[in-house]
Amino acid sequence: MDFSVSMPSLSALAMQARPMGDAAPWLEKLNPEQREAVETVNGAVLVLAGAGTGKTRVLTARIAYILAQGLARPHEILSVTFTNKAAKEMRHRIEQLIGMGVEGMPWLGTFHSIGTKLLRRHAEYVGLQSNFTILDSDDQLRLMKQLIAAENIDEKRFPPRLLASVIDGWKNRGLTPDKVPSQDAHLYGSGLGITLYKAYQQRLRDLNAVDFGDLLVHPISILQAHPQLLEDYRRRFKFILVDEYQDTNVAQYLWLRLFSGTGGNICCVGDDDQSIYGWRGAEVENILRFERDFPGAKVVRLERNYRSTAHILAAAQHLIGHNAGRLGKELRAEAGGEGEKLQLFSVWDSEEEARSIGEKIEDLQRNGSPLNTIAILVRASFQMREFEDRFVTLGLNYRVVGGPRFYERAEVRDALAYFRLMVQPQDDLAFERIINQPKRGLGDATVKQLHVLARAAGCSLFHIAQQLIETQELKPKQRASMREFVLNFVRWREHLPNMPHTELAQIILEESGYTDMWKQERTPEAQGRLENLKELVRSMEPYGSMQEFLEHVSLVMEVEVGAQQDAVTIMTLHGAKGLEFDSVFLPGWEENLFPHPRALDEKGKAGLEEERRLAYVGITRAKLRAFISFASNRRMHGSWNSTSPSRFIDELPHASVDINEGPFAGRMPRFDAPQAAYSSNFAPNRFQSATPQRFEESPVERYTPQHDRYSASKARQHAYVKTIEGQVLSRSDGPAKSASKATTHAVGARVFHIKFGYGRVTQADGDKLTVEFEKAGDKKVMAGFVEAVV
Ligand code: ATP
Ligand code: MG
């Protein structure tokens, strides 16, 4: 007899025998509605409630309750969270509640992590082996490019990224290639998309690989095709719990329906006002049709908010009241009285915004708030840069959550690599990064060849490239590309001493074809990258030269904050879902940024409502203090624009908002100087700083290590020293160095060339030789690359 199936474990039985009563810690601190949601363990339960009402707490308490009651063992509970961080947090909270480790909860995680586990177990059903690889989006894209090339499709007209987003869209809807409806044919290349989707899936199978979407779609296909297996899982998962249900997409929904059937014990919690992933395929309708899908479901509404003060809650509710498409609910604040009003302040530009927020954070810190309780939530990732720069100057710890820091973003690193290589031709790492970015037909094989030659000659890749364009070692097509690449750099370097460095940066990004590469992608993601590139160029303005700017970047990159350290959190509004902080800063509430124009362009009113929900999510992250700011000028799309405050600001209630006079607000004259004349060095606000010791700072002083009065730690001093040591910008990499290696070979000498083999010199012109090779025929080669053979 198999006891493991039908009998609860001894420990569970012993715990069940323990007197429960009101003393059970997981039921303490729950209000009656929450408690009802926790204790209703048979059938379907939907907790539909606003932000901060304890939905996540209900889920945690419910798991503790189920385990303690012995209703299921840890591995019989399927619990889905939205992020890995949330899963970790939930695990931790359950451990605290029940006072023991829950390592045995293998099915607590995100849809993707659980999908991976399922697929590893049953990979053979979809033609994979269980050790399949999960491709990241770069690999995915590379694969699509190959397929597009194989079909002879013009990559420029039908960009691979567009195909990637179309296929992702299908996967979000749970559609395998055979199920894609024919009316979707227009989405990519008049039906070619569907053909390519098939080819792509086949190719993945050949590689024993999956992409993120497959982690949802494959398990669905497997369970649909194998009823017995499905039955086993239905029996196994005695309880299913889902957080942030409003943001599930169709595939995730299908997945849950499969596991629960119609009679399963499923408990979903969500808030229609916080549905913010519509653009990624989430369907808020999933929540609205819950009662239809699960007849007899119990719907629990929670109306007490335990997170925020009354003013913060009132502001958030008033704002979201402007949305038409909502179920509507009232929230009462239970958390310690009225509290402070939401603080609204206006600034001159984003630099002042960062400065002002930096000062407010220092004030909070002085008054005893740990930095860990403070967050800055931005609408677009490019906004982060200004804060990162400012905080490094102030020596204020920060961490960027849910994405790379600004200067670590792929497109920013690429651009920096162009600038570095221009300033410093020996920078081989920069060279390698961009030689084929955008694609120039100079792939891995060429780079390998350059490496061999550079090692042999003892000089930099760039120097070798410069020599190779004069000779015949490369194929003509590659030589032409390489020539263009090299000559571009030579030309840009000539401009370096005279041209304003921001202008030069702009020219480099354009002439190299780098910005064009992203423009051609035509996807929302590429749009974000273009914004980041513009922000990068903007961020150079305060520096005297390109070199000075690059030094600053290496300094910012040096500052790493450990997970345990006290630090301000910087993240996007999307990433902040479900989290809470004592103090929340919400910068950049301006039209054209928030609401984000893309959302409005693509989805009109529905897009606007989703943006408003995002604003609601932002405000409701705050427990004690919320600060909203907007700038009158912002550099967007390469030029200064006067901006107007976000429409969301006027949708806040007067009674709960304090206009924050602040050190800068309201004192700025309008500055309508022509763009070219405008330099942040001369912006009037520079001379209006509130804090006396910063009054006379000049921009250069502020960013030059020697003058940094705020440099806090040894680590940072070390970083400065390192930067200065590494500054060999003026050393020339050239003939002197390679001449020592180059050998002259007399006409008639027998030589060996690393690529062409043996031959005899027929002509010598300085360090350029003509050699008649035994196999390769007549070639022009560099003297440094051939060895004399005796
Ligand atoms: P969101 O919609 O933002 O995800 P939520 O509804 O999931 O919010 P929780 O994060 O579970 O809300 O709870 C918000 C805060 O209120 C947490 O700090 C939680 O500990 C606290 N809280 C929840 N319920 C109670 C309660 N009954 N008594 C005291 N505090 C509570
Ligand atoms: Mg929550």
Side-chain angles (χ1 to χ4, degrees):
M1 190 176 175
D2 181 6
F3 284 99
S4 66
V5 175
S6 54
M7 291 281 287
S9 68
L10 284 174
S11 56
L13 285 172
M15 284 168 79
Q16 205 177 336
R18 206 161 67 188
M20 296 257 305
D22 284 349
W26 44 91
L27 293 178
E28 262 176 31
K29 294 198 192 155
L30 290 182
N31 64 38
E33 302 80 42
Q34 290 175 325
R35 195 164 166 160
E36 186 185 12
V38 168
E39 290 179 324
T40 308
V41 283
N42 288 321
V45 178
L46 173 68
V47 178
L48 182 61
T53 51
K55 296 182 297 298
T56 304
R57 180 182 269 214
V58 162
L59 287 186
T60 319
R62 192 176 158 91
I63 295 176
Y65 178 75
I66 291 166
L67 290 174
Q69 287 278 28
L71 299 172
R73 284 166 301 167
H75 66 270
E76 293 168 333
I77 300 175
L78 173 66
S79 177
V80 191
T81 58
F82 208 74
T83 59
N84 287 318
K85 188 171 187 295
K88 212 167 126 195
E89 178 68 27
M90 188 171 280
R91 213 177 273 273
H92 178 66
R93 285 207 216 166
I94 297 168
E95 282 174 357
Q96 283 188 329
L97 279 179
I98 63 174
M100 63 175 191
V102 285
E103 302 80 33
M105 283 199 66
W107 302 103
L108 190 165
T110 61
F111 278 107
H112 286 120
S113 71
I114 296 171
T116 309
K117 189 166 283 183
L118 282 170
L119 195 52
R120 295 237 184 260
R121 294 175 151 213
H122 310 292
E124 72 282 1
Y125 286 137
V126 282
L128 294 165
Q129 292 151 33
S130 65
N131 62 349
F132 58 81
T133 12
I134 303 171
L135 298 190
D136 62 20
S137 49
D138 274 1
D139 297 331
Q140 189 187 3
L141 212 59
R142 203 165 315 128
L143 210 60
M144 291 194 182
K145 281 186 180 173
Q146 288 169 7
L147 294 171
I148 289 171
E151 290 281 327
N152 279 325
I153 299 170
D154 180 4
E155 213 184 86
K156 293 216 167 63
R157 271 188 70 207
F158 300 111
R161 261 172 216 276
L162 180 63
L163 179 64
S165 83
V166 168
I167 291 183
D168 278 348
W170 284 328
K171 289 187 176 177
N172 283 339
R173 284 155 60 200
L175 298 172
T176 44
D178 52 308
K179 293 198 185 123
V180 174
S182 51
Q183 64 261 34
D184 274 12
H186 68 280
L187 291 176
Y188 183 94
S190 325
L192 269 173
I194 301 175
T195 317
L196 285 169
Y197 183 17
K198 271 194 197 110
Y200 172 67
Q201 289 307 118
Q202 185 53 51
R203 188 85 187 94
L204 285 175
R205 243 186 297 271
D206 295 344
L207 293 169
N208 191 31
V210 299
D211 65 15
F212 272 115
D214 288 339
L215 296 174
L216 292 174
V217 177
H218 281 325
I220 293 175
S221 311
I222 294 171
L223 294 172
Q224 281 173 336
H226 300 88
Q228 188 52 48
L229 191 67
L230 177 60
E231 203 40 52
D232 289 349
Y233 275 107
R234 281 193 181 163
R235 236 177 298 132
R236 171 194 297 261
F237 295 140
K238 296 199 171 128
F239 292 93
I240 301 175
L241 301 94
V242 188
D243 201 0
E244 309 279 1
Y245 188 59
Q246 76 280 357
D247 277 325
T248 46
N249 62 32
V250 174
Q252 292 163 340
Y253 169 80
L254 286 172
W255 209 85
L256 292 170
R257 287 291 310 264
L258 274 171
F259 280 129
S260 69
T262 44
N265 299 322
I266 182 168
C267 174
C268 298
V269 309
D271 176 8
D272 59 307
D273 287 335
Q274 294 187 67
S275 160
I276 53 175
Y277 280 97
W279 55 280
R280 243 208 233 159
E283 306 243 338
V284 70
E285 283 73 28
N286 291 345
I287 221 173
L288 308 180
R289 66 178 180 211
F290 191 87
E291 288 178 83
R292 236 183 311 140
D293 290 338
F294 302 99
K298 176 182 279 293
V299 178
V300 177
R301 289 176 190 266
L302 307 175
E303 294 185 332
R304 308 182 210 194
N305 172 296
Y306 292 94
R307 179 179 294 143
S308 311
T309 61
H311 279 308
I312 293 173
L313 192 61
Q317 294 222 92
H318 197 269
L319 175 85
I320 198 66
H322 291 79
N323 269 7
R326 61 189 292 253
L327 296 172
K329 40 189 141 25
E330 280 307 313
L331 295 184
R332 292 193 307 276
E334 295 272 328
E338 291 211 317
E340 289 176 34
K341 290 186 180 180
L342 193 143
Q343 316 236 352
L344 177 67
F345 61 102
S346 145
V347 290
W348 171 251
D349 61 8
S350 58
E351 190 187 340
E352 189 192 307
E353 190 173 49
R355 187 141 33 105
S356 182
I357 288 179
E359 287 182 5
K360 286 181 196 306
I361 291 177
E362 285 180 325
D363 279 349
L364 287 169
Q365 202 182 17
R366 266 193 294 277
N367 290 325
S369 299
L371 298 178
N372 279 337
T373 62
I374 303 172
I376 300 178
L377 308 179
V378 298
R379 174 63 187 91
S381 62
F382 80 85
Q383 290 173 265
M384 293 180 183
R385 199 276 309 163
E386 200 90 56
F387 296 106
E388 291 190 51
D389 277 0
R390 184 64 192 158
F391 291 174
V392 169
T393 310
L394 292 177
L396 205 63
N397 280 346
Y398 71 90
R399 71 171 66 85
V400 172
V401 175
R405 298 185 298 167
F406 181 81
Y407 292 114
E408 282 166 2
R409 288 167 194 275
E411 63 282 9
V412 172
R413 277 179 174 250
D414 285 346
L416 289 172
Y418 272 98
F419 307 153
R420 275 165 42 195
L421 186 60
M422 175 188 57
V423 167
Q424 160 138 264
Q426 301 101 308
D427 193 333
D428 282 359
L429 287 176
F431 182 96
E432 271 185 64
R433 187 170 178 104
I434 52 168
I435 175 75
N436 208 26
Q437 190 77 298
K439 290 266 178 295
R440 305 185 168 89
L442 302 172
D444 291 349
T446 315
V447 172
K448 213 161 151 194
Q449 196 180 349
L450 288 176
H451 262 298
V452 173
L453 294 171
R455 217 170 304 134
C459 61
S460 68
L461 293 174
F462 189 86
H463 187 66
I464 288 293
Q466 224 168 355
Q467 297 193 335
L468 282 180
I469 58 175
E470 303 283 332
T471 62
Q472 287 175 293
E473 272 116 339
L474 291 177
K475 294 193 191 97
K477 228 172 125 185
Q478 290 167 326
R479 189 161 59 238
S481 290
M482 185 89 85
R483 175 187 303 274
E484 198 191 331
F485 181 79
V486 166
L487 295 184
N488 267 339
F489 273 96
V490 171
R491 199 176 58 254
W492 296 330
R493 267 175 217 143
E494 280 166 12
H495 290 308
L496 188 60
N498 310 316
M499 192 182 273
H501 58 290
T502 46
E503 206 173 302
L504 182 55
Q506 194 80 44
I507 287 177
I508 292 176
L509 295 178
E510 272 160 29
E511 288 187 353
S512 62
Y514 190 73
T515 10
D516 269 352
M517 176 180 93
W518 291 116
K519 277 187 192 149
Q520 278 160 13
E521 301 284 1
R522 284 185 273 147
T523 60
E525 191 203 332
Q527 198 55 42
R529 292 184 196 269
L530 287 167
E531 279 175 5
N532 285 340
L533 289 174
K534 281 174 188 146
E535 179 61 19
L536 176 69
V537 174
R538 204 194 85 69
S539 74
M540 296 176 173
E541 276 174 6
Y543 302 92
S545 67
M546 183 72 88
Q547 287 90 330
E548 210 180 283
F549 168 71
L550 290 174
E551 247 179 63
H552 164 76
V553 173
S554 44
L555 180 66
V556 176
M557 301 282 249
E558 197 72 25
V559 183
E560 271 283 3
V561 173
Q564 306 305 322
Q565 261 174 300
D566 194 32
V568 178
T569 301
I570 306 180
M571 66 195 310
T572 62
L573 285 162
H574 280 101
K577 205 167 64 144
L579 305 180
E580 57 190 24
F581 302 90
D582 286 350
S583 307
V584 169
F585 288 88
L586 301 164
W589 279 40
E590 294 134 35
E591 286 294 298
N592 261 328
L593 175 55
F594 192 34
H596 203 282
R598 198 165 60 232
L600 306 190
D601 289 350
E602 283 170 14
K603 294 205 296 177
K605 184 159 175 280
L608 174 64
E609 297 213 336
E610 181 154 320
E611 292 289 298
R612 196 177 279 116
R613 290 194 290 270
L614 200 51
Y616 174 78
V617 168
I619 298 175
T620 54
R621 297 310 95 199
K623 291 176 163 178
L624 305 175
R625 292 166 218 99
F627 301 82
I628 293 179
S629 53
F630 60 96
S632 336
N633 296 280
R634 196 171 286 269
R635 182 107 182 197
M636 296 269 283
H637 311 298
S639 59
W640 280 99
N641 296 315
S642 359
T643 50
S644 39
S646 166
R647 68 192 79 186
F648 297 151
I649 289 181
D650 291 329
E651 293 174 1
L652 296 168
H654 277 76
S656 293
V657 178
D658 256 345
I659 308 290
N660 192 319
E661 293 282 324
F664 316 107
R667 286 202 262 147
M668 227 54 66
R670 273 212 91 66
F671 189 78
D672 290 321
Q675 271 173 33
Y678 185 92
S679 140
S680 51
N681 298 7
F682 302 107
N685 62 344
R686 292 227 166 251
F687 308 105
Q688 299 201 1
S689 175
T691 328
Q693 76 266 29
R694 286 175 209 169
F695 181 73
E696 61 308 65
E697 285 172 359
S698 82
V700 174
E701 271 174 348
R702 253 181 337 114
Y703 292 100
T704 311
Q706 304 86 291
H707 291 94
D708 190 337
R709 276 161 274 154
Y710 314 109
S711 98
S713 67
K714 280 261 175 259
R716 291 182 64 226
Q717 285 165 13
H718 170 71
Y720 290 129
V721 172
K722 220 171 134 184
T723 318
I724 291 163
E725 273 177 354
Q727 192 192 7
V728 278
L729 305 175
S730 57
R731 195 171 77 202
S732 103
D733 166 55
K737 193 172 166 198
S738 52
S740 62
K741 279 261 174 184
T743 335
T744 38
H745 300 274
V747 172
R750 189 169 146 76
V751 292
F752 175 79
H753 183 273
I754 204 153
K755 182 168 176 219
F756 300 128
Y758 291 98
R760 200 164 288 282
V761 179
T762 55
Q763 219 180 318
D765 172 15
D767 57 356
K768 276 186 218 108
L769 306 177
T770 308
V771 179
E772 190 186 342
F773 287 101
E774 287 162 13
K775 296 220 168 84
D778 270 354
K779 298 279 176 207
K780 273 210 169 87
V781 297
M782 301 307 303
F785 299 161
V786 297
E787 275 171 34
V789 183
V790 278

